[in-house]
Amino acid sequence: MRIATWNVNSIRSRIDRVTAWLERNEVDAIALQETKAREDQFPFDRFEALGYEVAHHGLSQWNGVAVASRVGLSDVQVGFDGMPGWGEPAAAEARALGAVCGGVRLWSLYIPNGRALEDPHLTYKLEWLAALERAASGWLADDPAAQIALMGDWNIAPTDADVWSVAYYEGRTHTSPAERAAFAAVVDAGYSDVVRPHTSEPGTFTYWDYTQLRFPKRQGMRIDFALCSPALAERVVGAAIDREERKGKGASDHAPVVVEIAD
DNA sequence: ATGGTGGAATATCCA
């Protein structure tokens, strides 16, 4: 089985590229982030035409997460226990959706950006990650053999190798010790990055800013991850980041990440 | 080996 994650940066503007990519890549289930659509705006028919069922959660033009699967889709869960909200008054955002596809519980996660080191949004980001770690630890405590993939845009570069320039990110979000510690806590809870062992070349990234010619200059970040439970991680036989999909007019600023799982 | 950002409730916010 092949599973994938992709921050599409608007499903409506990206739908032709997404469906073309699905047809080329024989992916069985995919977690999508930043759909930027309400339920009534999501192009369900375009996925159904390719044999995918879709569970989507979107509340406004911001955020939005979905799971599409052609190997079954059940036990859909929107958000997770303890997930913090944002705003005044604080309200849950569309940043987490889980569903069971082909025997694997796939989570599509869009971790808050943080915006700036002194911004309340960074506090929100860290609290959101701490709550995710608590929930995900609980799932493994309940069932140590659980097949779980925490997939999505984590908005964190866990190591210095995951950014094109360490100096550039000094004083910015995505590389701060607090953010890296929050990411490491999820790893320590038992969820391992199954993509890195198969994509360890220096300069391997999943995201390149639209501005400043970041992509042609190969100035990106690795911020999209599939963190897998122990039982699922041991089934992983391959992984890839589809850098080609970042090319051309109408590309998302993120590349799709694909994981191959043995049956 | 791409194209001087791009998406959305668009003239402003979000990434």
Side-chain angles (χ1 to χ4, degrees), chain A residues 90-140:
Chain A
E93 296 186 299
R95 293 183 178 276
L97 182 145
V100 175
C101 309
V104 174
R105 182 149 198 86
L106 221 70
W107 279 94
S108 181
L109 304 170
Y110 180 44
I111 280 71
N113 176 283
R115 298 181 183 167
L117 291 183
E118 302 305 322
D119 196 297
H121 208 258
L122 183 66
T123 307
Y124 170 49
K125 179 180 194 174
L126 296 173
E127 288 173 351
W128 203 98
L129 284 160
L132 175 62
E133 186 276 323
R134 284 192 291 274
S137 290
W139 302 332
L140 277 185

mmCIF file of all heavy atoms in Angstrom, chain A residues 90-140:
data_model
loop_
_atom_site.group_PDB
_atom_site.id
_atom_site.type_symbol
_atom_site.label_atom_id
_atom_site.label_comp_id
_atom_site.label_asym_id
_atom_site.label_seq_id
_atom_site.Cartn_x
_atom_site.Cartn_y
_atom_site.Cartn_z
ATOM 1 N N ALA A 90 -11.457 31.405 21.959
ATOM 2 C CA ALA A 90 -10.739 30.320 21.285
ATOM 3 C C ALA A 90 -11.723 29.311 20.702
ATOM 4 O O ALA A 90 -12.659 28.878 21.365
ATOM 5 C CB ALA A 90 -9.809 29.632 22.276
ATOM 6 N N ALA A 91 -11.475 28.954 19.433
ATOM 7 C CA ALA A 91 -12.337 27.981 18.756
ATOM 8 C C ALA A 91 -11.466 27.001 17.995
ATOM 9 O O ALA A 91 -10.402 27.363 17.476
ATOM 10 C CB ALA A 91 -13.280 28.704 17.793
ATOM 11 N N ALA A 92 -11.908 25.744 17.930
ATOM 12 C CA ALA A 92 -11.162 24.714 17.204
ATOM 13 C C ALA A 92 -11.053 25.088 15.731
ATOM 14 O O ALA A 92 -12.017 25.540 15.124
ATOM 15 C CB ALA A 92 -11.852 23.364 17.362
ATOM 16 N N GLU A 93 -9.875 24.890 15.164
ATOM 17 C CA GLU A 93 -9.663 25.122 13.738
ATOM 18 C C GLU A 93 -9.640 23.775 12.999
ATOM 19 O O GLU A 93 -9.537 22.720 13.611
ATOM 20 C CB GLU A 93 -8.340 25.861 13.523
ATOM 21 C CG GLU A 93 -8.331 27.248 14.129
ATOM 22 C CD GLU A 93 -7.055 28.004 13.765
ATOM 23 O OE1 GLU A 93 -5.953 27.539 14.117
ATOM 24 O OE2 GLU A 93 -7.180 29.058 13.130
ATOM 25 N N ALA A 94 -9.721 23.860 11.670
ATOM 26 C CA ALA A 94 -9.739 22.651 10.832
ATOM 27 C C ALA A 94 -8.307 22.209 10.534
ATOM 28 O O ALA A 94 -7.776 22.446 9.442
ATOM 29 C CB ALA A 94 -10.512 22.908 9.539
ATOM 30 N N ARG A 95 -7.674 21.578 11.545
ATOM 31 C CA ARG A 95 -6.264 21.219 11.428
ATOM 32 C C ARG A 95 -5.967 19.741 11.653
ATOM 33 O O ARG A 95 -4.815 19.318 11.571
ATOM 34 C CB ARG A 95 -5.433 22.031 12.441
ATOM 35 C CG ARG A 95 -5.397 23.520 12.158
ATOM 36 C CD ARG A 95 -4.513 24.244 13.155
ATOM 37 N NE ARG A 95 -4.413 25.659 12.878
ATOM 38 C CZ ARG A 95 -3.562 26.221 12.016
ATOM 39 N NH1 ARG A 95 -2.731 25.459 11.335
ATOM 40 N NH2 ARG A 95 -3.549 27.527 11.827
ATOM 41 N N ALA A 96 -6.972 18.937 11.938
ATOM 42 C CA ALA A 96 -6.715 17.516 12.199
ATOM 43 C C ALA A 96 -7.931 16.688 11.810
ATOM 44 O O ALA A 96 -9.053 16.993 12.217
ATOM 45 C CB ALA A 96 -6.383 17.304 13.674
ATOM 46 N N LEU A 97 -7.674 15.665 11.013
ATOM 47 C CA LEU A 97 -8.718 14.706 10.660
ATOM 48 C C LEU A 97 -8.073 13.338 10.532
ATOM 49 O O LEU A 97 -7.044 13.192 9.871
ATOM 50 C CB LEU A 97 -9.414 15.114 9.355
ATOM 51 C CG LEU A 97 -10.570 14.217 8.897
ATOM 52 C CD1 LEU A 97 -11.670 15.044 8.229
ATOM 53 C CD2 LEU A 97 -10.090 13.108 7.950
ATOM 54 N N GLY A 98 -8.679 12.356 11.195
ATOM 55 C CA GLY A 98 -8.165 10.987 11.124
ATOM 56 C C GLY A 98 -9.194 10.059 10.520
ATOM 57 O O GLY A 98 -10.394 10.269 10.668
ATOM 58 N N ALA A 99 -8.709 9.023 9.824
ATOM 59 C CA ALA A 99 -9.604 8.010 9.265
ATOM 60 C C ALA A 99 -8.807 6.724 9.074
ATOM 61 O O ALA A 99 -7.586 6.767 8.863
ATOM 62 C CB ALA A 99 -10.181 8.466 7.925
ATOM 63 N N VAL A 100 -9.493 5.598 9.157
ATOM 64 C CA VAL A 100 -8.840 4.309 8.928
ATOM 65 C C VAL A 100 -8.948 3.941 7.449
ATOM 66 O O VAL A 100 -10.049 3.891 6.895
ATOM 67 C CB VAL A 100 -9.463 3.214 9.809
ATOM 68 C CG1 VAL A 100 -8.858 1.858 9.456
ATOM 69 C CG2 VAL A 100 -9.253 3.533 11.285
ATOM 70 N N CYS A 101 -7.799 3.724 6.823
ATOM 71 C CA CYS A 101 -7.730 3.395 5.395
ATOM 72 C C CYS A 101 -6.848 2.162 5.233
ATOM 73 O O CYS A 101 -5.673 2.180 5.606
ATOM 74 C CB CYS A 101 -7.117 4.538 4.599
ATOM 75 S SG CYS A 101 -7.882 6.146 4.903
ATOM 76 N N GLY A 102 -7.396 1.103 4.689
ATOM 77 C CA GLY A 102 -6.606 -0.107 4.476
ATOM 78 C C GLY A 102 -5.945 -0.594 5.763
ATOM 79 O O GLY A 102 -4.808 -1.073 5.738
ATOM 80 N N GLY A 103 -6.637 -0.467 6.874
ATOM 81 C CA GLY A 103 -6.111 -0.967 8.145
ATOM 82 C C GLY A 103 -5.156 -0.031 8.856
ATOM 83 O O GLY A 103 -4.654 -0.358 9.932
ATOM 84 N N VAL A 104 -4.903 1.135 8.268
ATOM 85 C CA VAL A 104 -3.997 2.110 8.891
ATOM 86 C C VAL A 104 -4.791 3.347 9.285
ATOM 87 O O VAL A 104 -5.573 3.876 8.480
ATOM 88 C CB VAL A 104 -2.867 2.512 7.918
ATOM 89 C CG1 VAL A 104 -2.018 3.635 8.512
ATOM 90 C CG2 VAL A 104 -2.005 1.308 7.584
ATOM 91 N N ARG A 105 -4.584 3.793 10.527
ATOM 92 C CA ARG A 105 -5.221 5.053 10.929
ATOM 93 C C ARG A 105 -4.351 6.203 10.457
ATOM 94 O O ARG A 105 -3.246 6.423 10.948
ATOM 95 C CB ARG A 105 -5.426 5.112 12.444
ATOM 96 C CG ARG A 105 -6.128 6.369 12.876
ATOM 97 C CD ARG A 105 -7.002 6.165 14.129
ATOM 98 N NE ARG A 105 -7.972 7.239 14.262
ATOM 99 C CZ ARG A 105 -9.177 7.268 13.679
ATOM 100 N NH1 ARG A 105 -9.592 6.262 12.947
ATOM 101 N NH2 ARG A 105 -9.976 8.282 13.841
ATOM 102 N N LEU A 106 -4.883 6.925 9.472
ATOM 103 C CA LEU A 106 -4.158 8.017 8.831
ATOM 104 C C LEU A 106 -4.652 9.335 9.405
ATOM 105 O O LEU A 106 -5.843 9.615 9.379
ATOM 106 C CB LEU A 106 -4.490 7.982 7.336
ATOM 107 C CG LEU A 106 -3.403 8.219 6.328
ATOM 108 C CD1 LEU A 106 -2.456 7.040 6.326
ATOM 109 C CD2 LEU A 106 -4.031 8.365 4.943
ATOM 110 N N TRP A 107 -3.718 10.138 9.909
ATOM 111 C CA TRP A 107 -4.080 11.479 10.378
ATOM 112 C C TRP A 107 -3.545 12.521 9.410
ATOM 113 O O TRP A 107 -2.361 12.480 9.042
ATOM 114 C CB TRP A 107 -3.514 11.735 11.773
ATOM 115 C CG TRP A 107 -4.357 11.128 12.853
ATOM 116 C CD1 TRP A 107 -4.190 9.902 13.432
ATOM 117 C CD2 TRP A 107 -5.513 11.714 13.463
ATOM 118 N NE1 TRP A 107 -5.178 9.691 14.369
ATOM 119 C CE2 TRP A 107 -6.007 10.789 14.414
ATOM 120 C CE3 TRP A 107 -6.194 12.928 13.306
ATOM 121 C CZ2 TRP A 107 -7.141 11.048 15.196
ATOM 122 C CZ3 TRP A 107 -7.312 13.182 14.088
ATOM 123 C CH2 TRP A 107 -7.774 12.244 15.017
ATOM 124 N N SER A 108 -4.415 13.419 8.988
ATOM 125 C CA SER A 108 -3.989 14.572 8.208
ATOM 126 C C SER A 108 -3.904 15.745 9.171
ATOM 127 O O SER A 108 -4.903 16.172 9.748
ATOM 128 C CB SER A 108 -4.999 14.877 7.094
ATOM 129 O OG SER A 108 -4.550 15.985 6.333
ATOM 130 N N LEU A 109 -2.678 16.255 9.361
ATOM 131 C CA LEU A 109 -2.416 17.276 10.381
ATOM 132 C C LEU A 109 -1.833 18.530 9.750
ATOM 133 O O LEU A 109 -0.902 18.456 8.938
ATOM 134 C CB LEU A 109 -1.415 16.734 11.413
ATOM 135 C CG LEU A 109 -1.799 15.426 12.117
ATOM 136 C CD1 LEU A 109 -0.612 14.898 12.926
ATOM 137 C CD2 LEU A 109 -3.009 15.633 13.018
ATOM 138 N N TYR A 110 -2.362 19.657 10.129
ATOM 139 C CA TYR A 110 -1.809 20.936 9.697
ATOM 140 C C TYR A 110 -1.465 21.726 10.957
ATOM 141 O O TYR A 110 -2.297 22.409 11.539
ATOM 142 C CB TYR A 110 -2.804 21.682 8.809
ATOM 143 C CG TYR A 110 -2.302 23.021 8.326
ATOM 144 C CD1 TYR A 110 -0.996 23.157 7.842
ATOM 145 C CD2 TYR A 110 -3.111 24.140 8.339
ATOM 146 C CE1 TYR A 110 -0.525 24.378 7.401
ATOM 147 C CE2 TYR A 110 -2.651 25.371 7.901
ATOM 148 C CZ TYR A 110 -1.366 25.478 7.433
ATOM 149 O OH TYR A 110 -0.894 26.693 7.002
ATOM 150 N N ILE A 111 -0.206 21.581 11.375
ATOM 151 C CA ILE A 111 0.245 22.203 12.614
ATOM 152 C C ILE A 111 0.281 23.727 12.428
ATOM 153 O O ILE A 111 0.728 24.213 11.380
ATOM 154 C CB ILE A 111 1.638 21.643 13.016
ATOM 155 C CG1 ILE A 111 1.509 20.279 13.701
ATOM 156 C CG2 ILE A 111 2.330 22.576 14.006
ATOM 157 C CD1 ILE A 111 1.110 19.125 12.859
ATOM 158 N N PRO A 112 -0.171 24.488 13.439
ATOM 159 C CA PRO A 112 -0.147 25.951 13.324
ATOM 160 C C PRO A 112 1.244 26.464 12.961
ATOM 161 O O PRO A 112 2.260 25.909 13.368
ATOM 162 C CB PRO A 112 -0.575 26.413 14.723
ATOM 163 C CG PRO A 112 -1.408 25.295 15.249
ATOM 164 C CD PRO A 112 -0.778 24.038 14.700
ATOM 165 N N ASN A 113 1.274 27.556 12.215
ATOM 166 C CA ASN A 113 2.528 28.103 11.692
ATOM 167 C C ASN A 113 3.416 28.710 12.781
ATOM 168 O O ASN A 113 4.641 28.552 12.741
ATOM 169 C CB ASN A 113 2.184 29.149 10.625
ATOM 170 C CG ASN A 113 3.389 29.856 10.066
ATOM 171 O OD1 ASN A 113 3.959 30.733 10.698
ATOM 172 N ND2 ASN A 113 3.798 29.444 8.890
ATOM 173 N N GLY A 114 2.825 29.425 13.700
ATOM 174 C CA GLY A 114 3.611 30.098 14.724
ATOM 175 C C GLY A 114 3.862 31.564 14.440
ATOM 176 O O GLY A 114 4.006 32.365 15.358
ATOM 177 N N ARG A 115 4.021 31.871 13.173
ATOM 178 C CA ARG A 115 4.156 33.263 12.675
ATOM 179 C C ARG A 115 5.447 33.965 13.084
ATOM 180 O O ARG A 115 6.194 34.402 12.226
ATOM 181 C CB ARG A 115 2.941 34.108 13.088
ATOM 182 C CG ARG A 115 1.658 33.560 12.490
ATOM 183 C CD ARG A 115 0.429 34.367 12.832
ATOM 184 N NE ARG A 115 -0.760 33.723 12.272
ATOM 185 C CZ ARG A 115 -2.002 34.034 12.588
ATOM 186 N NH1 ARG A 115 -2.254 35.010 13.440
ATOM 187 N NH2 ARG A 115 -3.007 33.376 12.034
ATOM 188 N N ALA A 116 5.704 34.124 14.373
ATOM 189 C CA ALA A 116 6.941 34.786 14.831
ATOM 190 C C ALA A 116 7.231 34.314 16.248
ATOM 191 O O ALA A 116 6.337 33.876 16.966
ATOM 192 C CB ALA A 116 6.781 36.303 14.778
ATOM 193 N N LEU A 117 8.500 34.446 16.648
ATOM 194 C CA LEU A 117 8.903 33.876 17.939
ATOM 195 C C LEU A 117 8.170 34.505 19.117
ATOM 196 O O LEU A 117 7.925 33.848 20.122
ATOM 197 C CB LEU A 117 10.421 34.014 18.122
ATOM 198 C CG LEU A 117 11.269 33.135 17.195
ATOM 199 C CD1 LEU A 117 12.749 33.298 17.525
ATOM 200 C CD2 LEU A 117 10.864 31.670 17.290
ATOM 201 N N GLU A 118 7.812 35.790 19.018
ATOM 202 C CA GLU A 118 7.137 36.456 20.132
ATOM 203 C C GLU A 118 5.630 36.543 19.922
ATOM 204 O O GLU A 118 4.935 37.246 20.644
ATOM 205 C CB GLU A 118 7.709 37.868 20.330
ATOM 206 C CG GLU A 118 9.200 37.890 20.593
ATOM 207 C CD GLU A 118 9.622 37.029 21.769
ATOM 208 O OE1 GLU A 118 8.886 36.991 22.769
ATOM 209 O OE2 GLU A 118 10.673 36.360 21.671
ATOM 210 N N ASP A 119 5.131 35.838 18.920
ATOM 211 C CA ASP A 119 3.708 35.921 18.574
ATOM 212 C C ASP A 119 2.901 34.919 19.397
ATOM 213 O O ASP A 119 3.361 33.799 19.621
ATOM 214 C CB ASP A 119 3.553 35.622 17.073
ATOM 215 C CG ASP A 119 2.200 36.054 16.531
ATOM 216 O OD1 ASP A 119 1.168 35.498 16.983
ATOM 217 O OD2 ASP A 119 2.179 36.939 15.660
ATOM 218 N N PRO A 120 1.703 35.298 19.853
ATOM 219 C CA PRO A 120 0.842 34.335 20.555
ATOM 220 C C PRO A 120 0.577 33.076 19.732
ATOM 221 O O PRO A 120 0.288 32.013 20.281
ATOM 222 C CB PRO A 120 -0.465 35.121 20.777
ATOM 223 C CG PRO A 120 -0.081 36.554 20.691
ATOM 224 C CD PRO A 120 1.102 36.638 19.773
ATOM 225 N N HIS A 121 0.687 33.211 18.408
ATOM 226 C CA HIS A 121 0.456 32.040 17.555
ATOM 227 C C HIS A 121 1.507 30.962 17.796
ATOM 228 O O HIS A 121 1.226 29.778 17.625
ATOM 229 C CB HIS A 121 0.463 32.467 16.080
ATOM 230 C CG HIS A 121 -0.369 31.580 15.198
ATOM 231 N ND1 HIS A 121 0.170 30.610 14.378
ATOM 232 C CD2 HIS A 121 -1.709 31.499 15.021
ATOM 233 C CE1 HIS A 121 -0.799 29.989 13.721
ATOM 234 N NE2 HIS A 121 -1.947 30.509 14.095
ATOM 235 N N LEU A 122 2.713 31.358 18.215
ATOM 236 C CA LEU A 122 3.733 30.350 18.518
ATOM 237 C C LEU A 122 3.379 29.588 19.790
ATOM 238 O O LEU A 122 3.567 28.366 19.872
ATOM 239 C CB LEU A 122 5.117 30.985 18.649
ATOM 240 C CG LEU A 122 6.233 29.950 18.897
ATOM 241 C CD1 LEU A 122 6.405 29.036 17.691
ATOM 242 C CD2 LEU A 122 7.550 30.603 19.237
ATOM 243 N N THR A 123 2.846 30.293 20.786
ATOM 244 C CA THR A 123 2.368 29.627 22.006
ATOM 245 C C THR A 123 1.276 28.620 21.643
ATOM 246 O O THR A 123 1.271 27.480 22.132
ATOM 247 C CB THR A 123 1.813 30.672 22.994
ATOM 248 O OG1 THR A 123 2.803 31.673 23.201
ATOM 249 C CG2 THR A 123 1.450 30.020 24.320
ATOM 250 N N TYR A 124 0.365 29.069 20.798
ATOM 251 C CA TYR A 124 -0.708 28.192 20.311
ATOM 252 C C TYR A 124 -0.112 26.960 19.616
ATOM 253 O O TYR A 124 -0.522 25.811 19.862
ATOM 254 C CB TYR A 124 -1.579 28.992 19.353
ATOM 255 C CG TYR A 124 -2.603 28.226 18.553
ATOM 256 C CD1 TYR A 124 -3.477 27.315 19.157
ATOM 257 C CD2 TYR A 124 -2.729 28.437 17.177
ATOM 258 C CE1 TYR A 124 -4.439 26.646 18.406
ATOM 259 C CE2 TYR A 124 -3.679 27.776 16.428
ATOM 260 C CZ TYR A 124 -4.537 26.876 17.045
ATOM 261 O OH TYR A 124 -5.480 26.215 16.299
ATOM 262 N N LYS A 125 0.878 27.162 18.774
ATOM 263 C CA LYS A 125 1.540 26.063 18.069
ATOM 264 C C LYS A 125 2.109 25.041 19.054
ATOM 265 O O LYS A 125 1.915 23.833 18.905
ATOM 266 C CB LYS A 125 2.667 26.638 17.198
ATOM 267 C CG LYS A 125 3.480 25.622 16.405
ATOM 268 C CD LYS A 125 4.565 26.349 15.593
ATOM 269 C CE LYS A 125 5.178 25.457 14.531
ATOM 270 N NZ LYS A 125 6.116 26.216 13.653
ATOM 271 N N LEU A 126 2.808 25.543 20.074
ATOM 272 C CA LEU A 126 3.454 24.641 21.032
ATOM 273 C C LEU A 126 2.419 23.893 21.870
ATOM 274 O O LEU A 126 2.586 22.697 22.156
ATOM 275 C CB LEU A 126 4.405 25.439 21.929
ATOM 276 C CG LEU A 126 5.587 26.078 21.192
ATOM 277 C CD1 LEU A 126 6.374 26.994 22.128
ATOM 278 C CD2 LEU A 126 6.502 25.023 20.582
ATOM 279 N N GLU A 127 1.353 24.581 22.242
ATOM 280 C CA GLU A 127 0.291 23.919 23.007
ATOM 281 C C GLU A 127 -0.430 22.883 22.150
ATOM 282 O O GLU A 127 -0.811 21.814 22.627
ATOM 283 C CB GLU A 127 -0.700 24.975 23.548
ATOM 284 C CG GLU A 127 -0.094 25.812 24.679
ATOM 285 C CD GLU A 127 -0.988 26.974 25.123
ATOM 286 O OE1 GLU A 127 -2.007 27.249 24.437
ATOM 287 O OE2 GLU A 127 -0.649 27.609 26.140
ATOM 288 N N TRP A 128 -0.610 23.220 20.886
ATOM 289 C CA TRP A 128 -1.272 22.301 19.948
ATOM 290 C C TRP A 128 -0.438 21.022 19.807
ATOM 291 O O TRP A 128 -0.967 19.900 19.864
ATOM 292 C CB TRP A 128 -1.429 23.021 18.605
ATOM 293 C CG TRP A 128 -2.511 22.508 17.705
ATOM 294 C CD1 TRP A 128 -3.765 23.024 17.558
ATOM 295 C CD2 TRP A 128 -2.416 21.405 16.790
ATOM 296 N NE1 TRP A 128 -4.458 22.293 16.616
ATOM 297 C CE2 TRP A 128 -3.661 21.308 16.130
ATOM 298 C CE3 TRP A 128 -1.405 20.498 16.458
ATOM 299 C CZ2 TRP A 128 -3.922 20.332 15.157
ATOM 300 C CZ3 TRP A 128 -1.670 19.525 15.498
ATOM 301 C CH2 TRP A 128 -2.908 19.441 14.858
ATOM 302 N N LEU A 129 0.868 21.187 19.683
ATOM 303 C CA LEU A 129 1.772 20.030 19.551
ATOM 304 C C LEU A 129 1.825 19.207 20.834
ATOM 305 O O LEU A 129 1.874 17.971 20.786
ATOM 306 C CB LEU A 129 3.170 20.515 19.169
ATOM 307 C CG LEU A 129 3.328 20.923 17.702
ATOM 308 C CD1 LEU A 129 4.539 21.830 17.535
ATOM 309 C CD2 LEU A 129 3.453 19.689 16.804
ATOM 310 N N ALA A 130 1.804 19.882 21.989
ATOM 311 C CA ALA A 130 1.825 19.161 23.263
ATOM 312 C C ALA A 130 0.550 18.338 23.415
ATOM 313 O O ALA A 130 0.588 17.188 23.890
ATOM 314 C CB ALA A 130 1.973 20.152 24.424
ATOM 315 N N ALA A 131 -0.575 18.909 22.994
ATOM 316 C CA ALA A 131 -1.843 18.179 23.073
ATOM 317 C C ALA A 131 -1.840 16.995 22.113
ATOM 318 O O ALA A 131 -2.346 15.908 22.438
ATOM 319 C CB ALA A 131 -3.006 19.123 22.760
ATOM 320 N N LEU A 132 -1.255 17.193 20.933
ATOM 321 C CA LEU A 132 -1.154 16.091 19.974
ATOM 322 C C LEU A 132 -0.296 14.962 20.544
ATOM 323 O O LEU A 132 -0.637 13.773 20.420
ATOM 324 C CB LEU A 132 -0.549 16.599 18.657
ATOM 325 C CG LEU A 132 -0.262 15.529 17.602
ATOM 326 C CD1 LEU A 132 -1.551 14.832 17.155
ATOM 327 C CD2 LEU A 132 0.451 16.145 16.390
ATOM 328 N N GLU A 133 0.801 15.329 21.184
ATOM 329 C CA GLU A 133 1.684 14.310 21.781
ATOM 330 C C GLU A 133 0.939 13.519 22.860
ATOM 331 O O GLU A 133 1.064 12.292 22.932
ATOM 332 C CB GLU A 133 2.934 14.987 22.339
ATOM 333 C CG GLU A 133 3.998 14.013 22.856
ATOM 334 C CD GLU A 133 3.751 13.543 24.272
ATOM 335 O OE1 GLU A 133 3.276 14.348 25.088
ATOM 336 O OE2 GLU A 133 4.009 12.347 24.563
ATOM 337 N N ARG A 134 0.178 14.219 23.690
ATOM 338 C CA ARG A 134 -0.596 13.531 24.734
ATOM 339 C C ARG A 134 -1.622 12.586 24.105
ATOM 340 O O ARG A 134 -1.752 11.424 24.528
ATOM 341 C CB ARG A 134 -1.316 14.546 25.629
ATOM 342 C CG ARG A 134 -0.401 15.246 26.628
ATOM 343 C CD ARG A 134 -1.200 16.024 27.673
ATOM 344 N NE ARG A 134 -1.874 17.194 27.119
ATOM 345 C CZ ARG A 134 -1.312 18.391 26.989
ATOM 346 N NH1 ARG A 134 -0.053 18.577 27.375
ATOM 347 N NH2 ARG A 134 -1.986 19.396 26.478
ATOM 348 N N ALA A 135 -2.334 13.046 23.106
ATOM 349 C CA ALA A 135 -3.348 12.199 22.464
ATOM 350 C C ALA A 135 -2.689 10.997 21.795
ATOM 351 O O ALA A 135 -3.135 9.849 21.953
ATOM 352 C CB ALA A 135 -4.142 13.017 21.446
ATOM 353 N N ALA A 136 -1.608 11.252 21.055
ATOM 354 C CA ALA A 136 -0.954 10.178 20.305
ATOM 355 C C ALA A 136 -0.296 9.167 21.242
ATOM 356 O O ALA A 136 -0.266 7.963 20.955
ATOM 357 C CB ALA A 136 0.077 10.775 19.345
ATOM 358 N N SER A 137 0.232 9.634 22.374
ATOM 359 C CA SER A 137 0.769 8.712 23.383
ATOM 360 C C SER A 137 -0.334 7.818 23.902
ATOM 361 O O SER A 137 -0.134 6.615 24.121
ATOM 362 C CB SER A 137 1.388 9.495 24.546
ATOM 363 O OG SER A 137 2.571 10.131 24.143
ATOM 364 N N GLY A 138 -1.501 8.403 24.110
ATOM 365 C CA GLY A 138 -2.643 7.639 24.597
ATOM 366 C C GLY A 138 -3.067 6.544 23.631
ATOM 367 O O GLY A 138 -3.400 5.428 24.053
ATOM 368 N N TRP A 139 -3.028 6.840 22.334
ATOM 369 C CA TRP A 139 -3.415 5.831 21.343
ATOM 370 C C TRP A 139 -2.481 4.620 21.409
ATOM 371 O O TRP A 139 -2.922 3.484 21.280
ATOM 372 C CB TRP A 139 -3.399 6.420 19.933
ATOM 373 C CG TRP A 139 -4.305 7.615 19.786
ATOM 374 C CD1 TRP A 139 -5.453 7.878 20.495
ATOM 375 C CD2 TRP A 139 -4.136 8.719 18.888
ATOM 376 N NE1 TRP A 139 -6.004 9.067 20.088
ATOM 377 C CE2 TRP A 139 -5.230 9.615 19.105
ATOM 378 C CE3 TRP A 139 -3.189 9.049 17.914
ATOM 379 C CZ2 TRP A 139 -5.371 10.808 18.391
ATOM 380 C CZ3 TRP A 139 -3.344 10.224 17.198
ATOM 381 C CH2 TRP A 139 -4.411 11.095 17.434
ATOM 382 N N LEU A 140 -1.195 4.891 21.619
ATOM 383 C CA LEU A 140 -0.236 3.784 21.707
ATOM 384 C C LEU A 140 -0.341 3.046 23.036
ATOM 385 O O LEU A 140 -0.128 1.832 23.101
ATOM 386 C CB LEU A 140 1.194 4.293 21.516
ATOM 387 C CG LEU A 140 1.666 4.466 20.076
ATOM 388 C CD1 LEU A 140 3.132 4.866 20.052
ATOM 389 C CD2 LEU A 140 1.441 3.196 19.268
#
